[in-house]
Amino acid sequence: MTARAMPLPDDPKSPGPSYDDRPPPARFAYDRHTWKEIAHLLVNLPLGIAGFVYAVVVLAVGVPLTVTVVGLPLLAAGLSGARLLSRAERARARKLLGVHVEEPSPMPVFGGIGVFGWLWSSLKDPVGWRTMLYAFIRLPWGVLTFAVTIAGLFVLWPVLPFVVRGLTNVDRAMVRGLLCPSDELERRIAELESDRGVVVDTAAADLRRIERDLHDGAQARLVALAMGLGLAKEKLLEDPEVAASMVDEAHGEVKLALQELRDLARGIHPAVLTDRGLNAALSSVASRCTVPVKVTADLPERPAAAIEGIAYFTVSELLQNVSKHSGAKSASVEVWRADDRLLIQVWDDGRGGAGPDGGTGLAGLAERLGSVDGLFVIVSPQGGPTTITAELPWRDRAQDHASGSRGR
């Protein structure tokens, strides 16, 4: 499940509205949606004939020849080709009907799994078999929709938009039912592949940030410190007072460099989070906010370290936004566990209008939470207040340690 930064009208703890690809209600007027649907129904017949012929040829040739050596490879190749037909049908439905269906996971590469592995995967591919069924159904349905649409353009044109909408709704149902990924596992794999890319990009961005902070901050200060100590060493015998002054300056530079390193380490993973847990770490973050923040953490036990870290940095980023952009006078942070989920709610009485497109890093937070099956919900009307709810999967720290031990 990919997290989306989206507004929530009523309950900030509910998951929010889902994506809806339904067209607007049909009208007597012939708008662009109606013309697209008419075009879809008229194309049903020629494409239905082509798909029906393909399915008949593949099955008529492949099935009888399965008793020979060449039958199974021919049938497997035909089922693999059926995937191309289903991809074209999904693209047509997406373009003309506005139906968004996830693409199935690709078949394993022939060279990677061998001849028999590819053959077995192709023969038991549910996407290919459902596409064959779809091709058989499409021909009689295409004849019906073509005839009704042509007749309607001359006889039923006043009510044709409503007739067309009813016919295309059947098409939408067939596309969603027969051309979708094989099951929930397929959709889950596609989501995990997308989330993996987000995790990799986020890790690379964090490494670049750490490198930049070290190069521009602590490293530059340590170089200046080394130069200062070198000059002080040269002056030590000639002018002890000047050398002592330079050593004092170097001492101050050491303190500043240490502070920068502490801040950088806190940005990577704060020591207070490791030692004392999420409640103490969030209180520390709240104390650095320019707005008075009330922190309430109702956690009977500590979650896994990875979840705890994501929760900490989520609150830290949100409180930075409160300090910089909200104009609030007060804020609050609540953290609690609900069944197998960790919930975080950050509220402020600022000017509102927060959103993922405002350059405040909210879109990045939504992507980070999505990479671990999280949810990110924004309720921020103009004029305020702003309530942002983040939801993370709960994993016990004991289970986390056990899996780490097995890995080692």
Side-chain angles (χ1 to χ4, degrees):
M1 172 175 55
T2 303
R4 292 183 176 89
M6 54 189 173
L8 189 64
D10 298 317
D11 183 7
K13 296 180 183 179
S14 68
S18 60
Y19 178 72
D20 192 355
D21 56 10
R22 290 177 298 180
R27 302 182 301 167
F28 287 103
Y30 281 56
D31 56 13
R32 63 184 182 90
H33 297 286
T34 300
W35 285 115
K36 284 184 176 181
E37 290 173 339
I38 291 174
H40 179 87
L41 295 176
L42 293 177
V43 176
N44 271 351
L45 180 57
L47 293 183
I49 293 174
F52 183 82
V53 170
Y54 178 85
V56 168
V57 170
V58 168
L59 296 178
V61 175
V63 173
L65 292 178
T66 53
V67 296
T68 67
V69 177
V70 298
L72 290 178
L74 286 176
L75 186 58
L79 290 172
S80 299
R83 277 180 163 255
L84 300 178
L85 293 179
S86 68
R87 183 185 303 173
E89 284 295 322
R90 282 190 296 271
R92 183 167 72 101
R94 184 164 53 248
K95 183 70 175 178
L96 298 178
L97 301 182
V99 177
H100 296 265
V101 177
E102 295 290 339
E103 294 290 331
S105 298
M107 290 287 295
V109 180
F110 177 84
I113 60 174
V115 177
F116 294 104
W118 170 81
L119 186 65
W120 176 246
S121 298
S122 299
L123 290 176
K124 68 183 184 68
D125 178 26
V127 176
W129 286 110
R130 284 205 312 270
T131 303
M132 291 293 189
L133 176 60
Y134 181 82
F136 277 106
I137 296 174
R138 292 292 290 184
L139 180 58
W141 178 249
V143 172
L144 175 63
T145 58
F146 184 86
V148 171
T149 305
I150 290 294
L153 287 172
F154 296 97
V155 179
L156 303 174
W157 60 268
V159 296
L160 185 60
F162 299 93
V163 176
V164 166
R165 178 57 54 82
L167 295 175
T168 53
N169 281 341
V170 177
D171 276 278
R172 291 183 176 93
M174 284 195 292
V175 170
R176 292 190 181 103
L178 296 177
L179 301 184
C180 64
S182 58
D183 53 18
E184 185 62 29
L185 180 59
E186 287 276 351
R187 287 186 286 271
R188 184 69 184 131
I189 290 173
E191 291 173 358
L192 289 176
E193 289 176 347
S194 175
D195 292 342
R196 180 180 61 185
V198 172
V199 171
V200 171
D201 293 341
T202 301
D206 287 340
L207 287 175
R208 288 193 298 270
R209 176 184 60 82
I210 294 170
E211 180 183 10
R212 184 179 61 253
D213 291 344
L214 283 172
H215 182 271
D216 298 340
Q219 179 180 343
R221 196 172 295 280
L222 289 174
V223 169
L225 172 63
M227 294 176 61
L229 288 176
L231 293 174
K233 182 180 178 182
E234 294 178 359
K235 294 285 186 180
L236 184 61
L237 297 177
E238 299 176 4
D239 194 343
E241 293 184 0
V242 173
S245 176
M246 296 176 69
V247 170
D248 287 338
E249 292 180 3
H251 185 250
E253 289 291 329
V254 169
K255 291 182 178 179
L256 293 176
L258 288 174
Q259 183 60 43
E260 289 184 359
L261 289 174
R262 289 193 193 99
D263 293 339
L264 183 59
R266 186 184 295 116
I268 298 172
H269 195 83
V272 65
L273 180 63
T274 303
D275 298 338
R276 300 175 57 192
L278 195 57
N279 194 355
L282 294 184
S283 298
S284 176
V285 171
S287 66
R288 298 194 297 270
C289 185
T290 59
V291 176
V293 180
K294 178 183 178 183
V295 178
T296 303
D298 183 14
L299 298 177
E301 56 183 331
R302 294 179 63 177
I307 300 300
E308 197 174 56
I310 293 174
Y312 170 83
F313 287 111
T314 298
V315 174
S316 178
E317 182 78 18
L318 292 176
L319 289 183
Q320 286 183 24
N321 286 340
V322 171
S323 298
K324 297 177 181 178
H325 308 292
S326 69
K329 296 181 179 178
S330 62
S332 65
V333 176
E334 294 184 46
V335 183
W336 71 98
R337 179 182 178 179
D339 297 328
D340 59 344
R341 309 293 285 181
L342 174 66
L343 292 115
I344 305 165
Q345 194 169 82
V346 178
W347 173 91
D348 70 77
D349 59 358
R351 63 177 65 95
D357 301 326
T360 55
L362 297 180
L365 284 178
E367 290 180 350
R368 286 197 178 194
L369 291 171
S371 67
V372 292
D373 274 351
L375 188 68
F376 192 70
V377 181
I378 303 171
V379 180
S380 184
Q382 290 294 337
T386 296
T387 302
I388 298 179
T389 303
E391 183 179 322
L392 291 165
W394 179 277
R395 292 208 314 266
D396 291 331
R397 183 166 289 257
Q399 295 176 353
D400 196 40
H401 286 316
S403 61
S405 299
R406 287 194 299 270
R408 288 190 294 273

